[in-house]
Amino acid sequence: MTTPEDSARSASDLAARYEGLIEAAVDGVVLIDERGRIEVFNPAAERIFGYAAEDVAGHNITMLMPQGDAARHDAHLDTYHRTGRRQIIGIGRELVGRRRNGDLFPMDLSVGEVASSEGRKYVGFVRDLTQRKRMEDTIRAREDELREVVDNVPIGIFTAELPGIIQAANPALRRLLRYEAGELAGMPFIRLLSGGDYRQLTAMITDLTNGAGADRVAELRIRRKDEAVLDVALHIGLVARANTTPLIVGMVIDRTEKVRSEEVARQAREHLAHVGRLTTLGEMASAIAHEINQPLTAIANHAQAARRLLSMTELDVETLRDACTQMAEQALRAGQVVRRIRAFVTKRESSKELADLNEIVRSVLELAAGDAREAGVRVELDLQISPPTVLVDPVQLQQVCLNLIRNAIDAMGETAPEKRAIEISSSEQDGLHVLCFDDHGPGIAPAARDRLFYPFFTTKADGMGMGLSISQSIVAAHGGTLKYETNAHGGARFIIALPIVAE
Amino acid sequence: MSADREVVFVVDDDAAVRSSLAMLLKSMALTVDTFESANEFLQRLSADPSGCLVLDIRMPGMSGIELQQQLKQRGCPLPIIFITGHGDVSMAVHAMREGAVDFIEKPFRDQDLLDRIYQALARDRQRRRAADETVHIKERFATLTPREHEVMQRVARGQANKVIAIELGLSERTVEIHRARVMHKTGARSLAELLGMVAKLGLA
C-alpha cells in the first residue's frame, strides 16, 4: 500500500525524473497549453531558439515561428479542437523555426498531445536541421557538379548493368550516337556495335568480372541511330556496389577523324610510292628494254638456226627440238619481265598478304638485272631463312628492294670492275626477318648519314632524294625498320627488319 | 695455219643468248667456242688464235670494251664483232675506233651476222697470210752476209751504187755484185719490191 505521503514523494520523484530527462534531452522540448502558451522550454530549446526559458514562458508559441506559420497557428489549434483533424500531432514534419535574432532555420518537429488535469497540452520535440541541411546541400551541390561534368564533358559516358544493358548515357554519348534522351537506357550495348566486334567486347567484360584488370580498352566500330558507322575507342571499367552486381562504366571516344586522317596519310603514302615506282621504272626503261631484248635475241637466233637446220638434207631432230624448247623458254622469260613491270607500276590499293621474302628478292632481281648488267655489277644471293614468311604488300617491298639495289649499283661507279658486286642476304635475328643489301662502294659519308632518309636529300648528281625516304615510310608502314650501317668493305649496308608472321 | 682451224669465239654472259648464238653459228657450219665471261676467255685464250671474236659489249665484271683493250695490250689480233643492245651506239663507235671490225645490234638477222663473220674471218686470214709472208722475208734476209746487209740498207735508202762504193771503200763493180746477190737472196724482182720488204720488216 502506498500512503499519500508515499504517493506525494513518489510523484515528486517522478516529476524530478521527467524534469531531469527533459533538461538533459538533446532535442528541444517545448510544452504549450491548449491556447498555445509556452509552459516548458528546456535548455536544448533555449540553445536552438536563443531565448531563455523565462523569456518565453507564458508567451504564445507563434513567437518561435516565421510570420506565415504564426498567423495560421491559432487557426490550426482551433480546427483541431473543433474537428480533431490533425495537421501535425503524432506525425512530425519539417518546418521552419525562428530564432530570437530573427534567423529562420530548418527544423524537425514532432508534436504529441498530453492530457493533464489542467486540460490539453501539447509537447513539441524540436531538432535543429541546420547542420544536416548544410551537409545535404553540400552533397547535393557536389552531385550537381558531378552531373554537370558528366553532362558537359565531350566524351561519351554511360553506365550499364551486367551483362551490358545501358542504364544511363550522358548527352555527349547521345549526341555522338544521335539518340534522344532516354532512348539509350535499357538497350544492350552490343546492339550499337557494327560488324563482328561482339566477341571482343564480351571477352573484355568477362575478363573484368573475373577480376582480370580494372580497365579495358577496345577499338570498335559502332553504329549511330542514323546508321552511320563510327570508329571509337571504348574504355570499360567496373564499379563495385554493395549487395549487388558491379556497375559497368564505359567511356566512348570518337576516333573516326583520327582513323580518317590515318587513311588519308596512307593514301598519300601509297600515291607517293606509286609515283616513285613510275619514276624508277622510267629511269630503268633502257635497262629493262635490254632485259626483254635478251630473250628476244635468243628466240631469233634459235628460230634462224632451226630454219637453216630444216633446209639441210639430213634433219638434226635433236637440235631442232632443243631450239624449240629454248624458244618457248625464252618467250616465257620475256613475258615474265613484262608481267613484273606491269605488277610494279599498276596503281592499286595496298594489300598485305603472307609472302615469301626470298621470292620477293628474286622477283626484284628480274627487274634489276638489266641495270646491274649495264653497270657491270654482279648480284650475289645468300638467302638463309626458310620459309621467310612476312605480312607485306609485295609490290611495295619490291620497290624498297629495287631502290636499295639501284642505289648500290649507282654507288659503285668508281669501284674497280672486278669488285662491283651486291650481296643480298636474309636471316632471322631476334624474332625479326632481316634482309641486308651490301655494296662495295665508298659507303655513306658520316655527315650525310643523319639526313639519309630525309625527303629531297640526295648524294647523287641527278637524284630526286625520294627513294630512301619512300622506302623507309613503306618499311615503317609494315611495322619494320630500315637502317644504314657501313659494312666490312667500307661500303654501304642497308638493313630491312620485318616482324615475323607465325603461320 | 689453215682455214679449218678458224674458230668463232663467242663471249656473252647471258646463257640463253650464248647458247642460241652457238646453235646459229653451228647451223652455218662454223666452229664455235663459247665463254661466259671476259676473264674465262682470257684464261683459255691460246697463244695464236685464228678466227674472230663475237663479243657482248656489256657484261658484269670485265665488259666487252675492257676485254678489247686487254687483247690489244696483249697483241692479240683477233677481229672483233661487237653485239650490242640498243642505245649502245656511242660505246660501239668507241669500240670501232679501237679497231673492232663491226658491231651488230641485238636481235639480228642471221645473214647480217654471217656477212660480218665472213668479213672478219677474211680479214683474219689476210692478216695471217701477211704474217706468214713477213716470216718468210725475215728468213730470206737472215741469209744476207754483213756486207750484203750494209749494201741492202744503203740501196733501200736510195743511195746510188757509186755513192755506196765510195762510202764502203769498195769498187762500184763489187757493189753491183753485192746488190745482185741481195736481190737474188731476198727474191725481190725490182727495187720497189725490195723497198716493200724492208718496210715490212721495219729495217728502213
Side-chain angles (χ1 to χ4, degrees):
Chain A
M1 286 296 289
T2 58
T3 63
E5 270 173 26
D6 283 345
S7 347
R9 197 173 59 237
S10 65
S12 74
D13 271 1
L14 193 61
R17 235 184 275 169
Y18 276 126
E19 212 158 299
L21 206 61
I22 289 165
E23 290 285 311
V26 176
D27 287 349
V29 179
V30 181
L31 185 73
I32 56 174
D33 66 13
E34 61 185 346
R35 288 174 54 198
R37 284 178 306 214
I38 296 169
E39 292 186 355
V40 174
F41 201 70
N42 77 340
E46 287 180 327
R47 274 198 304 281
I48 292 169
F49 290 98
Y51 289 103
E54 55 268 32
D55 294 337
V56 295
H59 289 279
N60 195 294
I61 185 74
T62 55
M63 71 182 293
L64 302 176
M65 299 175 187
Q67 276 176 345
D69 290 351
R72 285 188 294 270
H73 192 253
D74 285 347
H76 285 317
L77 276 179
D78 278 350
T79 307
Y80 178 61
H81 294 154
R82 249 191 354 264
T83 64
R85 203 170 72 223
R86 296 177 166 196
Q87 297 278 342
I88 187 164
I89 295 162
I91 303 168
R93 61 157 73 147
E94 251 185 67
L95 290 169
V96 177
R98 192 171 67 173
R99 294 191 222 274
R100 184 179 193 169
N101 63 9
D103 284 353
L104 301 179
F105 66 96
M107 62 176 197
D108 188 71
L109 176 68
S110 336
V111 179
E113 188 176 340
V114 183
S116 79
S117 53
E118 297 165 30
R120 272 198 273 206
K121 295 182 193 297
Y122 304 96
V123 63
F125 299 92
V126 178
R127 181 170 294 168
D128 189 343
L129 295 181
T130 308
Q131 284 298 325
R132 208 176 81 195
K133 282 281 182 196
R134 197 171 292 152
M135 210 143 42
E136 280 172 6
D137 285 350
T138 308
I139 290 168
R140 194 170 303 122
R142 220 169 267 169
E143 277 177 354
D144 286 349
E145 276 170 26
L146 201 60
R147 185 165 301 116
E148 192 80 354
V149 169
V150 170
D151 283 355
N152 290 297
V153 76
I155 294 169
I157 296 172
F158 69 93
T159 54
E161 296 287 350
L162 284 170
I165 309 297
I166 297 172
Q167 188 191 55
N170 74 340
L173 185 60
R174 293 200 304 267
R175 275 196 306 276
L176 182 67
L177 301 181
R178 304 289 194 271
Y179 280 93
E180 300 300 323
E183 283 184 326
L184 281 167
M187 189 185 285
F189 187 82
I190 252 176
R191 266 225 325 257
L192 295 171
L193 296 183
S194 162
D197 293 331
Y198 307 90
R199 271 190 294 175
Q200 193 190 356
L201 184 63
T202 46
M204 204 161 80
I205 292 174
T206 310
D207 280 359
L208 279 172
T209 49
N210 292 341
D215 181 59
R216 291 296 175 110
V217 192
E219 286 179 1
L220 303 170
R221 311 195 79 196
I222 60 178
R223 209 193 311 271
R224 290 196 321 215
K225 194 182 179 186
D226 61 7
E227 298 291 313
V229 172
L230 303 176
D231 287 287
V232 300
L234 172 64
H235 295 250
I236 281 193
L238 286 187
V239 177
R241 292 182 294 187
N243 305 322
T244 181
T245 54
L247 184 69
I248 300 174
V249 179
M251 276 199 321
V252 180
I253 297 165
D254 189 7
R255 296 176 62 249
T256 310
E257 269 312 307
K258 187 167 176 274
V259 169
R260 190 170 301 151
S261 64
E262 280 168 2
E263 173 65 13
V264 168
R266 188 186 62 76
Q267 281 173 2
R269 192 173 56 238
E270 267 171 33
H271 180 69
L272 191 62
H274 182 240
V275 170
R277 288 199 294 277
L278 288 180
T279 310
T280 303
L281 223 58
E283 290 164 3
M284 294 174 66
S286 150
I288 286 171
H290 183 265
E291 273 324 277
I292 296 172
N293 211 29
Q294 292 291 91
L296 290 182
T297 303
I299 292 166
N301 289 347
H302 282 300
Q304 296 178 104
R307 192 175 54 197
R308 283 173 181 274
L309 292 172
L310 282 170
S311 61
M312 286 174 184
T313 43
E314 217 170 302
L315 272 189
D316 180 353
V317 177
E318 262 323 295
T319 310
L320 280 169
R321 184 179 294 129
D322 187 31
C324 291
T325 308
Q326 293 290 329
M327 282 189 271
E329 263 180 28
Q330 292 305 309
L332 294 175
R333 172 185 166 193
Q336 176 78 347
V337 175
V338 171
R339 206 161 29 246
R340 296 274 184 224
I341 294 167
R342 191 182 297 135
F344 196 68
V345 294
T346 303
K347 186 165 175 68
R348 85 250 184 285
E349 279 280 289
S350 166
S351 68
K352 289 182 184 172
E353 55 188 70
L354 282 177
D356 179 336
L357 200 55
N358 294 345
E359 178 50 35
I360 288 174
V361 171
R362 288 195 193 96
S363 68
V364 170
L365 288 183
E366 283 176 25
L367 284 175
D371 257 10
R373 213 178 122 89
E374 272 192 13
V377 169
R378 274 174 296 124
V379 180
E380 287 159 15
L381 291 184
D382 179 18
L383 303 176
Q384 293 289 352
I385 32 177
S386 139
T389 314
V390 284
L391 187 64
V392 294
D393 179 324
V395 171
Q396 291 196 355
L397 205 67
Q398 280 177 18
Q399 177 173 8
V400 175
C401 295
L402 183 60
N403 184 247
L404 295 178
I405 291 172
R406 296 189 67 236
N407 281 351
I409 290 173
D410 288 349
M412 290 189 285
E414 305 292 316
T415 305
E418 67 276 9
K419 284 188 183 158
R420 284 178 201 165
I422 303 171
E423 287 121 32
I424 305 175
S425 58
S426 62
S427 60
E428 206 178 302
Q429 286 171 27
D430 306 326
L432 294 170
H433 280 321
V434 176
L435 201 53
C436 286
F437 296 77
D438 281 283
D439 70 34
H440 290 252
I444 307 286
R449 282 176 204 162
D450 291 343
R451 288 169 298 155
L452 207 48
F453 297 102
Y454 288 7
F456 305 113
F457 176 78
T458 182
T459 57
K460 300 182 197 171
D462 56 351
M464 278 269 289
M466 290 308 291
L468 281 178
S469 157
I470 293 174
S471 295
Q472 195 177 47
S473 75
I474 288 175
V475 176
H478 284 85
T481 56
L482 173 61
K483 285 180 183 157
Y484 168 81
E485 62 185 46
T486 305
N487 63 28
H489 330 289
R493 167 181 285 171
F494 283 91
I495 306 158
I496 301 174
L498 289 168
I500 292 176
V501 178
E503 267 189 294
Chain B
M1 287 180 201
S2 57
D4 60 14
R5 273 196 53 214
E6 283 176 348
V7 178
V8 179
F9 300 97
V10 174
V11 185
D12 194 313
D13 68 304
D14 188 310
V17 173
R18 193 166 64 238
S19 72
S20 70
L21 257 175
M23 189 186 284
L24 180 60
L25 295 172
K26 279 176 192 160
S27 78
M28 294 166 172
L30 294 162
T31 307
V32 186
D33 196 358
T34 58
F35 305 84
E36 66 172 19
S37 71
N39 273 323
E40 192 201 345
F41 180 71
L42 286 175
Q43 275 160 26
R44 278 172 44 201
L45 181 65
S46 65
D48 186 17
S50 61
C52 69
L53 179 55
V54 175
L55 180 55
D56 190 8
I57 208 161
R58 290 179 190 269
M59 286 183 292
M62 192 188 298
S63 74
I65 297 283
E66 284 158 345
L67 177 59
Q68 182 187 24
Q69 273 151 10
Q70 286 270 331
L71 291 175
K72 207 175 170 185
Q73 276 168 23
R74 295 181 182 203
C76 173
L78 274 183
I80 300 173
I81 301 161
F82 275 106
I83 47 176
T84 73
H86 69 289
D88 292 339
V89 175
S90 62
M91 281 177 92
V93 168
H94 175 79
M96 293 294 285
R97 260 194 220 123
E98 292 292 309
V101 176
D102 216 333
F103 69 93
I104 187 165
E105 202 172 332
K106 288 183 284 190
F108 37 77
R109 292 187 181 285
D110 52 357
Q111 194 56 52
D112 290 346
L113 179 65
L114 194 59
D115 288 348
R116 283 169 172 79
I117 285 177
Y118 281 158
Q119 205 187 333
L121 290 178
R123 187 157 138 176
D124 191 50
R125 236 170 271 140
Q126 199 184 351
R127 171 191 64 78
R128 273 177 286 134
R129 215 170 15 244
D132 288 353
E133 203 178 287
T134 310
V135 170
H136 290 144
I137 295 167
K138 214 178 258 172
E139 283 167 4
R140 290 198 296 273
F141 271 60
T143 62
L144 298 180
T145 63
R147 181 58 84 188
E148 285 162 1
H149 202 86
E150 277 178 326
V151 172
M152 180 274 291
Q153 279 181 313
R154 283 174 166 73
V155 170
R157 259 183 245 139
Q159 291 178 351
N161 288 353
K162 195 183 280 177
V163 179
I164 297 170
I166 295 166
E167 279 193 9
L168 295 178
L170 300 171
S171 71
E172 202 174 334
R173 173 69 193 148
T174 310
V175 170
E176 265 168 31
I177 292 168
H178 283 310
R179 184 171 176 153
R181 284 218 188 96
V182 167
M183 297 303 275
H184 177 75
K185 280 184 174 175
T186 60
R189 280 160 299 183
S190 66
L191 177 61
E193 210 170 321
L194 181 71
L195 289 177
M197 288 177 185
V198 170
K200 256 180 195 146
L201 294 181
L203 295 172

